Amino acid sequence: MTGCETGDEDVSDGDPGELLTRALGGDEVAWRLLVRGLSALVLAVAKSYRLGEADAFDVCQHTWLSLTQLPAGLRDPAKLPGWLATTARRQALRVLSARNREIPCMDREDPAAVLTPESSLLRAERDRVLWEAVARLPERERELVRLLSRIPPASHAEIAAHLGIPPGSVGPLRRRVLNRLRRLLEIEGYDHA
């Protein structure tokens, strides 16, 4: 049995070590008593990390599942409450750590992502000026900028094959072309800020 239901059973009346030994031996009543009697402790530890209800219950279930997966049980079954608290703490920290690695995607309905008429006009003007400057570059350099502006951009290998140059030359060529393009825009009065 795994779960995090809490109840009126008080494990302190019985020996948690004895209940654990019986539970690991297959006694369902002992499992129920342990889970109902000690889940409040596990949930309290999880909630002390300011986890939401769903995450706290996930931590609780994972903690109990970890107990069932111990190959030989606990060395000292009498220390079950401490083991559960420690395991719940570690799992709560894993949940928090995983949250820090999540990268939310931008919602299409995000008001900040919606272009205003003014920002659309400025973007169009910027693009026009940029492509006019690109048009003044030599043909091979114009082609490089076109390949770089694709979505997704062409890889170095694709650019090298398309332009007929060694792949190791793409980076230095790109740097020279972008520097030349920046200088052309600065001459026109645009800064790179």
Side-chain angles (χ1 to χ4, degrees):
M1 155 180 258
T2 61
C4 288
E5 59 273 358
T6 58
D8 297 333
E9 292 84 352
D10 188 3
V11 176
S12 62
D13 292 345
D15 176 20
E18 178 190 330
L19 284 174
L20 178 60
T21 303
R22 286 181 24 216
L24 292 174
D27 184 342
E28 287 293 320
V29 173
W31 268 122
R32 260 187 229 103
L33 288 172
L34 281 174
V35 170
R36 286 190 179 151
L38 292 172
S39 285
L41 165 73
V42 177
L43 284 169
V45 168
K47 288 180 180 179
S48 74
Y49 285 86
R50 296 185 177 172
L51 296 177
E53 194 78 17
D55 285 335
F57 276 98
D58 286 347
V59 166
C60 187
Q61 286 189 339
H62 185 274
T63 300
W64 285 107
L65 183 62
S66 296
L67 178 64
T68 66
Q69 295 174 340
L70 288 176
L74 294 178
R75 280 186 234 148
D76 186 358
K79 294 186 178 181
L80 176 63
W83 184 91
L84 289 170
T86 299
T87 304
R89 271 188 217 96
R90 290 177 181 158
Q91 182 58 26
L93 289 171
R94 280 189 206 102
V95 168
L96 291 172
S97 176
R99 264 193 210 152
N100 290 339
R101 289 190 301 262
E102 292 177 1
I103 301 171
C105 64
M106 185 169 62
D107 187 7
R108 290 183 187 177
E109 301 303 318
D110 181 9
V114 177
L115 292 177
T116 64
E118 294 83 10
S119 62
S120 294
L121 181 64
L122 290 172
R123 179 178 281 183
E125 174 65 13
R126 180 202 62 198
D127 290 351
R128 183 188 63 74
V129 168
L130 173 67
W131 287 107
E132 284 176 358
V134 170
R136 290 188 300 226
L137 295 173
E139 176 58 33
R140 185 170 89 162
E141 293 178 4
R142 283 195 309 264
E143 191 59 30
L144 174 67
V145 172
R146 283 189 206 103
L147 291 169
L148 290 172
S149 64
R150 285 188 348 201
I151 298 177
S155 69
H156 275 216
E158 291 169 330
I159 292 171
H162 188 80
L163 296 179
I165 61 175
S169 299
V170 172
L173 177 61
R174 181 186 67 188
R175 185 174 42 252
R176 285 192 306 273
V177 169
L178 293 177
N179 283 337
R180 178 177 292 170
L181 190 56
R182 182 172 28 84
R183 283 192 303 274
L184 285 172
L185 291 170
E186 286 172 347
I187 290 170
E188 295 291 322
Y190 296 96
D191 63 9
H192 59 279

